[in-house]
Amino acid sequence: MKTLPEASPKDCESGENPGVRLRALYRDGHGEMHLNWPIERLDEAIRDELGTLWLDIDDAPGQPSAVAEHLLRDVFRFHPLAIEDALRETHVSKIDDWDDYLYLVFHSTSIDPEADDLRLEELDVFLGPNYLVTYHERTLAFLSESREAIEHDPRDRMKHGADHLLFRFLDRSVDQSLAAIEQLDERIDRVQDEVMERMDPRNLQKIFRIKRSAIQLQRTFSPQRDVLNRLARDPYRVVKEEHRIYFRDVYDHVVRIHDISESLRDLIAGTLDTYLSVMSNRSNDIMKTLTMVTVMFMPMSFIVGFFGMNFFGATLALETWLPKWALFLGSIAIMSLSPVGMLAFARRRRWL
C-alpha cells in the first residue's frame, strides 16, 4: 500500500490543508439538523445510533491528502485495503462488504466541454449503519445539488437513514449520466447530417471520438449494473430491507443506460458505414467526371495529331484548298463541337 505522510488530529480539526475540503452534515437522534458539524466531533456523531452523519471529502487530484487518510483510518477505522482503494482512482465499479460497513466505487459520466469527450467521475463511498462517507477528487455536481437540497429541507432529507441518502446520491448520478448520453445521441445526429451534406475528414474524427465514448460508457456501466443489483438483492446489514426497492429502481435506470449505449454503438457503426459509402460514391463521381473530360477531348487530340503529321512534306498545303482564315475558324469549330457532341452522346446514353 502507498505510504502517506502522517497527519495530526489538530490538522484535521482545523482543516488547515489546502488540498482537501471537508463538509460534515449531521442529523442527531432527536431530529435536529447540523449543517456544519465540527470535524473534531465526528466520534460523537458516529456513536449516535439514531442519528445520520454524512461526511464529504473533496480531495485534490493526484496525491491524496494525509488528512483524508487520517480520517478514514483513525476516526472511522476502515480497513487499510478499503482505504487504499479509496485514495486512488480504480476506474472499476465494485462493492465490498466489510460486515460493519460497505465500500462502493461508483462512476458518473459527463461531457467535457473543452475536449468534447466523455469524462468519468469516480465516487468512493463508505456506508455504515448511521453514517455515509463520500470521497472524490473532483467537485461532483450531483453531490453539490444534493447538499443544497438538504440545506433547503434539512429535516426531511436525512431522516430515512444513511442508506436512503446513498440512494439519493446514486439516483442523481445516474440522471447525470443519462444527460450525457442524450448529448452523445444529439452529436451522432449532427454528424450524420454533416456526413450527408459534405465530405470532411474532420467528420471521421468526430465519429471515432463518439465511438470511443460509447465504448467507454458501456465498459463503465456493465460492472455498475452488478453493484446496484447486489444492493437491491443481497441482505447487507447496513441496508434496510425496505430500502432495497429504491436501489432496484436505480438498477433499472442503469440497465436502460447500458442498453442505450449498445444502441449508440450501432448508430455509430451505421454512421461510419454511411461516411465510407458517401466517400466511395464521391470518388466514383470524381473518376467519372475525369473520364468524361478525357473522352470529350479525344476527338480534338485526334484531329490535332492527325493533321500535324507530315505526310507530304514539311506542312500540308491546305491553303491551296481554303483560305487560311477559313481553315483556322473551321479547326476551332470542329475542336469545339467535338467535346460538346461527346457530352451529348454521354447524356443520351445516361452515363452522366
Side-chain angles (χ1 to χ4, degrees), residues 73-88:
R73 181 191 62 197
D74 299 330
V75 177
F76 289 92
R77 305 184 187 282
F78 295 137
H79 196 278
L81 293 178
I83 296 175
E84 180 185 8
D85 289 341
L87 295 182
R88 67 177 184 183

Side-chain angles (χ1 to χ4, degrees), residues 315-335:
T315 58
L316 188 61
L318 295 178
E319 65 274 7
T320 59
W321 303 343
L322 293 173
K324 291 184 176 180
W325 60 270
L327 290 172
F328 176 75
L329 294 179
S331 301
I332 295 298
I334 293 174
M335 288 187 292

